[in-house]
């Protein structure tokens, strides 16, 4: 087990030979040769109450300026899903943004470095030109730990190039119900699969910078969302935000506690054992108790039983949803339940004021404040952030690099799941192909949520420079001998082609915007009509679904000779073409069971005997091209 309180030996050695004068004049907390616990104690002893409270609050890029970071002594900042640098959104823009805030933090009396967090949940998706990996649903279908490890490392490197070290990933939900809008961000319905793959990602990410040079930080991950986010019951959530009602997201996870723990806790146990530095609390409730106020689980279970020593961060504006009178009492409830850092992008100054009042009236004890601040400082010391708060120059050339794109393409290939094949696949060079469906040629649709914007984008491939749409991939892989005609609406004339490829699926979405009822999982009438229209236009019809979860097929199943789940492949659409042409084998397996129809839909928690008849394909299903 790698403790986050242990400094890497190389760092201790490298800095242990610093000049004698530096050691004589610098306070102990600045000395990387000392044990982390000693550095924490020394620094805590020097901090005023205001300096401590600043470490407990996270500000948002859209609301907080560098000057405010300095004035409020903020210890953490974030860019949410919709807050790239104002201008320009390129590596220099990001670097200038982060370094502007970092300089403000380093310029404070004690010079405590700032941690800046971002949701790089499928690569550095907020930056045009970065490598966009397939979403986790696809990586779960690939089921390859070594691949996860390498994707973790590549993501750490692209972020470090601009000075970002803190990623709000991995999402380790075990998903009970694909009607939940975060199924695509997750690693499937099986606890062991989620645990194994997320552990590999974390191991790779944390070691991602080691071979880029000496003295670089160990980047920081966030296991989220603790606990039971993927178990939310349909209809247990009912809030209206951004114009959309929720059904599951942020709802209630219900059941007998031992069974719930057996299902949802193992991924977190594995994350803690792998040395993850941060845990994000879930918006959801646990048998009715909001997780942000659940002291037994946040302290008793996570701290005492699992031995977690890093920082616990609240989710975006989650505190204001707690059942207490007034924002100050909500803040007190969260902090006293065990939340160390309050993610309050728009209200950070206000929260610091409330914390001060709560401290003065002893509604939050001095002990609890010191404990929370120690958790934050421990992470910063253990990362080596005091010694290296800036960007990693050696990673600069890696953003969207050929090696990272090749890795993403490999991930796409390995994640394709072949569900049906009646002598339609593989495609052969020299064939005449008719390609239809907007999902064939749209980098936004194939990348899903958390790409450039919180709920993604569509309709403008120029927004992801360097990306390859699935259609472009087909052309590239099919080569000059393959005739490929494309019409989004299926407008073709002339005698039937060899193969019709129809690419349909979901629009991009994030969180509750993607909550659906079972009817909402059905292919749209327009998509069904497109399939019907294409059917007579080729001898074989191959249906490729570009979606974050299984979709209910209805007549489309019988109308198709072959069916492929391509998930949300990200920027490297050529990986889809590699498998369709048989250049790479189909090895992906379903991370979610596939429902047969909307009326009989059942979530994973249903008994196997009850659920089995409602399924078209079971968990783990997936054909190969050689399957008879
Ligand atoms: C999501 C988190 C995310 C956070 C910051 C929240 O809405 O639930 O997963 O890390 O926003 O963007
Ligand atoms: C932010 C996300 C956040 C979401 C939750 C969005 O505007 O960009 O980061 O998770 O709001 O409300």
């Amino acid at each position: 087990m790698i403790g986050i309180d242990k400094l890497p030996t190389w760092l201790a050695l490298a800095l242990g030979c610093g000049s004698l004068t530096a050691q004589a004049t610098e306070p102990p907390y600045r000395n990387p040769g000392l044990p982390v616990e000693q550095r924490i104690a020394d620094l805590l002893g020097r901090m005023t109450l205001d300096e401590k409270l600043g470490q407990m609050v996270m500000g948002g890029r859209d609301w907080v300026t560098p000057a405010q970071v300095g004035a409020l002594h903020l210890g953490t900042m974030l860019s949410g899903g919709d807050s790239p640098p104002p201008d320009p959104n390129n590596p220099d823009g990001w670097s200038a943004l982060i370094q502007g805030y970092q300089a403000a933090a380093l310029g404070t009396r004690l010079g405590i470095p700032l941690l800046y967090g971002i949701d790089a949940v499928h690569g550095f998706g907020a930056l045009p030109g970065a490598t966009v990996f397939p979403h986790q649903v696809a990586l779960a279908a690939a089921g390859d730990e070594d691949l996860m490890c390498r994707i973790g490392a590549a993501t750490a490197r692209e972020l470090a190039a601009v000075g970002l070290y803190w990623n709000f990933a991995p999402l380790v939900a075990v998903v009970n119900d694909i009607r939940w809008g975060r199924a695509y961000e997750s690693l499937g319905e099986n606890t062991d699969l989620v645990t194994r793959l997320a552990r590999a990602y974390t191991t790779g990410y944390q070691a991602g910078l080691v071979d880029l040079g000496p003295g670089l930080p160990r980047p920081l991950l966030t296991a989220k969302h603790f606990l039971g986010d993927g178990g939310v019951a349909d209809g247990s959530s009912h809030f209206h935000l951004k114009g959309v009602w929720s059904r599951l997201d942020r709802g209630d996870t219900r059941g007998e506690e031992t069974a719930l723990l057996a299902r949802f806790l193992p991924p977190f146990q594995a994350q803690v054992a792998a040395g993850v530095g941060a845990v994000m609390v879930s918006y959801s409730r646990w048998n009715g108790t909001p997780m942000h106020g659940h002291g037994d689980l946040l302290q008793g279970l996570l701290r005492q039983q699992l031995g977690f020593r890093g920082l616990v961060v609240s989710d975006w504006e989650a505190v204001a949803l707690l059942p207490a009178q007034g924002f100050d009492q909500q803040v007190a409830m969260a902090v006293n339940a065990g939340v160390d850092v309050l993610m309050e992008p728009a209200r950070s100054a206000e929260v610091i004021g409330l914390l001060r009042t709560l401290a003065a009236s002893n509604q939050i004890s001095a002990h609890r404040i010191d404990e929370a601040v120690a958790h934050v400082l421990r992470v910063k010391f253990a990362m080596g952030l005091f010694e290296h708060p800036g960007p990693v120059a050696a990673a600069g050339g890696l953003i969207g690099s050929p090696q990272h794109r090749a890795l993403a393409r490999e991930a796409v290939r390995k994640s394709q799941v072949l569900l049906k094949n009646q002598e339609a696949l593989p495609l052969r060079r020299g064939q005449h192909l008719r390609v239809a469906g907007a999902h064939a040629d749209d980098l936004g649709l194939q990348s899903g949520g958390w790409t450039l914007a919180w709920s993604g984008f569509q309709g403008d491939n120029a927004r992801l420079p360097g990306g390859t749409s699935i259609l472009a991939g087909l052309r590239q892989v099919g080569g000059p001998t393959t005739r490929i005609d494309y019409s989004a609406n299926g407008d073709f004339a002339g005698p039937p082609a060899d193969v019709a490829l129809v690419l349909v699926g979901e629009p991009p979405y994030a969180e509750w915007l993607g909550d659906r009822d079972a009817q909402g999982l059905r292919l749209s009438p327009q998509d069904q009509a497109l399939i019907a229209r294409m059917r007579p236009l080729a001898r074989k019809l191959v249906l490729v679904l570009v979606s974050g979860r299984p979709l209910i097929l209805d007549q489309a199943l019988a109308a198709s000779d072959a069916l492929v789940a391509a998930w949300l492949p990200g920027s490297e659409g050529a990986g889809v073409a590699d498998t369709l042409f048989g250049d790479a084998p189909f090895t992906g397996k379903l991370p979610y069971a596939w429902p047969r129809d909307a009326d009989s839909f059942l979530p994973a928690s249903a008994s196997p005997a009850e659920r089995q008849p409602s399924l078209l394909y079971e968990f783990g299903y997936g054909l190969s091209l050689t399957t008879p």
Side-chain angles (χ1 to χ4, degrees):
M1 161 167 164
I2 318 155
I4 65 137
D5 46 346
K6 283 210 195 75
L7 265 187
T9 330
W10 53 261
L11 187 59
L13 287 177
L15 293 146
C17 17
S19 80
L20 284 173
T21 37
Q23 284 187 6
T25 54
E26 297 262 292
Y29 77 88
R30 295 218 153 269
N31 180 354
L34 293 177
V36 165
E37 297 309 311
Q38 197 177 326
R39 298 175 76 188
I40 297 172
D42 176 64
L43 180 49
L44 260 182
R46 296 167 192 272
M47 292 169 83
T48 63
L49 178 64
D50 280 352
E51 284 165 339
K52 290 177 183 177
L53 299 181
Q55 295 295 316
M56 295 175 66
V57 178
M58 179 185 292
R61 197 294 279 155
D62 310 62
W63 295 271
V64 177
T65 62
Q68 286 169 311
V69 163
L72 297 168
H73 313 284
L74 285 185
T76 55
M77 284 284 297
L78 92 156
S79 269
D82 285 316
S83 50
D87 194 39
N89 185 355
N90 65 20
D92 289 343
W94 276 98
S95 197
L97 176 82
I98 310 302
Q99 292 345 295
Y101 287 109
Q102 188 62 277
L106 296 176
T108 57
R109 185 178 72 97
L110 295 165
I112 303 173
L114 179 85
L115 263 177
Y116 197 108
I118 187 168
D119 296 271
V121 297
H122 61 149
F124 192 173
L127 168 65
T131 311
V132 181
F133 291 95
H135 267 295
Q136 286 211 113
V137 63
L139 302 182
D144 181 334
E145 286 164 71
D146 176 62
L147 177 71
M148 288 301 285
C149 183
R150 286 180 288 136
I151 290 175
T155 303
R157 288 163 172 247
E158 296 205 13
L159 292 174
V162 303
L164 283 169
Y165 297 107
W166 189 7
N167 189 356
F168 302 136
L171 203 171
V172 297
V174 176
V175 177
N176 179 50
D177 193 328
I178 57 168
R179 291 173 295 185
W180 183 38
R182 308 195 77 165
Y184 74 93
E185 291 184 65
S186 306
L187 290 162
E189 69 181 51
N190 178 276
T191 302
D192 293 336
L193 185 66
V194 174
T195 304
R196 187 160 77 65
L197 295 179
R199 182 202 287 124
Y201 177 88
T202 294
T203 308
Y205 185 94
Q206 293 178 158
L209 308 183
V210 281
D211 58 355
L212 289 182
L216 299 178
R218 183 171 97 140
L220 174 65
L221 282 176
T222 315
K224 74 185 189 185
H225 310 83
F226 188 82
L227 181 65
D229 53 349
V232 285
D234 182 43
S236 68
S237 182
H238 200 58
F239 68 90
H240 190 254
L241 200 57
K242 305 200 191 218
V244 178
W245 285 99
S246 67
R247 302 176 55 90
L248 295 101
D249 193 45
R250 309 185 179 188
D252 195 15
T253 293
R254 298 163 179 165
E256 194 269 311
E257 183 149 286
T258 318
L260 291 184
L261 290 175
R263 195 155 173 223
F264 299 117
L265 192 59
F268 287 95
Q269 276 170 311
Q271 289 294 311
V272 172
V276 79
V279 168
M280 191 185 293
V281 185
S282 181
Y283 278 120
S284 57
R285 303 184 294 280
W286 179 266
N287 279 322
T289 304
M291 277 306 309
H292 282 81
H294 207 313
D296 287 347
L297 293 183
L298 295 180
Q299 313 220 49
L301 181 60
L302 181 60
R303 295 278 179 208
Q304 274 126 51
Q305 273 174 252
L306 299 196
F308 178 61
R309 307 198 69 207
L311 68 86
V312 170
V313 61
S314 61
D315 204 341
W316 177 285
E317 292 174 351
V319 171
L321 305 172
L322 284 171
Q325 277 301 316
F327 194 35
D328 63 328
Q329 292 309 304
Q330 293 170 322
V331 167
M333 182 183 266
V335 172
N336 288 326
V339 176
D340 302 314
V341 176
L342 300 157
M343 188 193 290
E344 288 298 330
R347 297 172 90 174
S348 45
E350 181 189 353
V351 170
I352 288 178
L354 294 177
L355 285 171
R356 202 180 294 122
T357 311
L358 291 163
S361 55
N362 208 32
Q363 293 181 75
I364 294 176
S365 69
H367 171 78
R368 176 67 195 110
I369 291 169
D370 282 356
E371 180 185 73
V373 175
H375 291 148
V376 179
L377 297 178
R378 181 173 297 116
V379 167
K380 293 181 177 180
F381 282 128
M383 288 172 70
L385 197 62
F386 281 76
E387 290 71 37
H388 194 299
V392 174
L398 295 174
I399 293 176
S401 63
Q403 351 25 329
H404 286 181
R405 291 187 187 275
L407 172 61
R409 182 168 171 176
E410 174 190 344
V412 176
R413 284 200 296 261
K414 290 180 167 170
S415 66
Q416 302 303 293
V417 183
L418 181 63
L419 295 167
K420 175 180 178 179
N421 186 23
Q422 291 172 341
E423 289 164 31
L425 291 175
L427 304 175
R428 282 185 295 277
R429 292 178 175 88
Q431 282 180 322
H432 175 201
L433 311 180
R434 283 182 171 153
V435 181
H439 286 73
D441 195 24
D442 191 317
L443 289 169
L445 289 177
Q446 76 185 43
S447 297
W450 300 103
T451 313
L452 300 187
W454 177 61
S455 48
F457 75 99
Q458 55 183 299
D460 183 1
N461 285 345
R463 292 185 64 187
L464 272 195
T468 305
S469 75
I470 297 172
L471 178 68
L474 286 165
R475 295 213 156 107
Q476 190 185 312
V477 173
T481 61
T482 309
R483 175 171 163 202
I484 300 181
D485 299 326
Y486 174 61
S487 160
N489 307 320
D491 290 325
F492 296 102
D498 294 308
V499 180
L501 278 171
V502 185
L503 291 98
V504 295
E506 290 188 298
Y509 50 78
E511 304 182 38
W512 70 97
L513 306 189
D515 284 0
R516 301 281 182 266
D517 59 12
Q519 298 295 334
L521 295 178
R522 299 172 67 182
L523 278 187
S524 70
Q526 296 87 317
D527 287 348
Q528 293 284 3
L530 181 65
I531 294 162
R533 170 168 208 182
M534 291 302 293
R535 182 62 275 191
L537 297 180
R539 281 179 282 281
K540 294 283 180 185
L541 189 142
V542 176
L543 180 60
V544 179
L545 294 174
V546 180
S547 66
R549 53 189 154 192
L551 295 178
I552 292 167
L553 298 164
D554 299 313
Q555 326 79 281
L557 179 63
S560 309
D561 298 295
L563 174 64
V564 174
W567 313 111
L568 298 169
S571 58
E572 305 313 309
V576 178
D578 291 334
T579 42
L580 291 174
F581 275 97
D583 289 0
F586 277 97
T587 53
K589 306 285 179 215
L590 289 182
Y592 293 117
W594 200 290
R596 183 179 293 282
D597 58 56
D599 296 331
S600 67
F601 179 88
L602 286 172
S605 54
S607 76
E610 242 187 315
R611 193 181 187 214
Q612 209 274 332
S614 77
L615 299 178
L616 182 59
Y617 305 114
E618 295 197 38
F619 170 86
Y621 186 78
L623 302 171
S624 73
L625 283 175
T626 53
T627 313

